[in-house]
Amino acid sequence: MDERSAAFRAAVAAAPSLDVRVPTCPEWTVFDLVRHLGEGRRRWAAIVAAGPADAPPDIAAPAPPRVREALLAWFAASTAQLLSALREAGPDRGCGTWWGDSQSPQTAGAVARHQLQQVAVHTYDAQVAVGAPEPLPDEVALDGVDDFLTTCVATTIAWPHEPAVIDYHAAEGRSWRLWFSADGARTARLSAPLAAEDPGVAYVSARGTANELVMFFYGRIQMDLLQLEGDRRVLDQLIAWEPQE
């Protein structure tokens, strides 16, 4: 997280102006991107420090300055607050989260894992804004696939369509499977790519680099940039799915 935060600050420092638009976040300028990410670091620092709680703590964070040097210092302090809270808590301490009954635990370690992905993807956004996008580091991207599937997709809320299976294959040699049914969605790593298990189940596979898979998950690239096989309608259904408790 510290390394990706440094890369984020470098991209912001390279921007001609804080008012430059961010193409991958069309409503935002570079300043908006820094504010969003910095405020998020401070909010999650407070949540981690509070431990298990029924409601998030009240947070009174100072407004981000609009002078670039001061803004970068404010963001660095925001990152330091989160890292300090995570290190003090340790990975196994309980923590309030938004993901509820997924396959990710409600712990400070799971927060650290997901917040790394937040800063990694927004670092890419900042790099796009200055015309110098770089793929995520391989280790970050591979873990980003696993984190997204276990944290953001896995759920016990019923899948509203016919049962389905989606396989994701990273060019780096890892594969994952998602099962969708009336019991919800669950995911697991595959030791080797597999064919569809049941001809009566809608099936699709998507293949790309781990970076491409993460960028697809977060809406930074379109599915047509992946290699697709099978019933792509399932991916359309997944993208449109907004499960409600």
Side-chain angles (χ1 to χ4, degrees):
M1 192 182 299
D2 207 13
E3 186 274 334
R4 285 293 85 196
S5 297
F8 178 80
R9 295 196 305 273
V12 173
S17 164
L18 294 177
D19 294 325
V20 169
R21 307 301 297 187
V22 181
T24 46
C25 302
E27 302 298 319
W28 287 353
T29 64
V30 168
F31 174 82
D32 295 327
L33 186 63
V34 179
R35 176 173 58 189
H36 166 77
L37 195 55
E39 289 176 346
R41 309 307 84 200
R42 292 169 187 257
R43 181 172 63 256
W44 279 103
I47 291 171
V48 169
D54 294 331
D58 292 330
I59 303 167
R66 286 192 168 271
V67 176
R68 188 190 317 242
E69 184 175 347
L71 180 65
L72 289 172
W74 173 86
F75 177 77
S78 302
T79 301
Q81 285 185 25
L82 177 55
L83 290 173
S84 177
L86 289 168
R87 288 167 178 149
E88 183 173 345
D92 298 324
R93 183 182 179 188
C95 177
T97 67
W98 56 260
W99 47 83
D101 192 15
S102 70
Q103 288 179 229
S104 286
Q106 293 182 301
T107 61
V111 168
R113 187 188 196 200
H114 190 62
Q115 290 307 307
L116 168 59
Q117 296 305 317
Q118 294 296 298
V119 71
V121 173
H122 284 320
T123 295
Y124 172 81
D125 293 331
Q127 292 171 341
V128 169
V130 299
E134 298 178 359
L136 305 185
D138 286 350
E139 183 179 1
V140 174
L142 285 164
D143 196 55
V145 176
D146 201 80
D147 172 71
F148 188 89
L149 298 181
T150 56
T151 303
C152 302
V153 182
T155 180
T156 57
I157 299 171
W159 172 247
H161 308 287
E162 63 182 301
V165 170
I166 301 176
D167 286 348
Y168 292 106
H169 305 298
E172 293 83 356
R174 295 187 195 173
S175 294
W176 296 260
R177 171 160 288 183
L178 279 165
W179 293 265
F180 297 91
S181 70
D183 294 326
R186 63 187 178 92
T187 185
R189 283 272 303 276
L190 297 177
S191 57
L194 298 173
E197 297 173 325
D198 182 347
V201 172
Y203 174 80
V204 65
S205 69
R207 185 181 303 272
T209 66
N211 176 76
E212 288 170 337
L213 292 174
V214 171
M215 293 305 164
F216 166 65
F217 293 159
Y218 284 98
R220 268 52 180 185
I221 66 172
Q222 299 299 310
M223 73 168 73
D224 290 340
L225 294 178
L226 303 176
Q227 299 175 40
L228 304 178
E229 294 182 4
D231 188 354
R232 62 180 292 165
R233 173 180 55 97
V234 180
L235 284 173
D236 292 326
Q237 291 172 341
L238 176 56
I239 292 169
W241 189 34
E242 295 182 359
Q244 300 295 321
E245 296 285 358

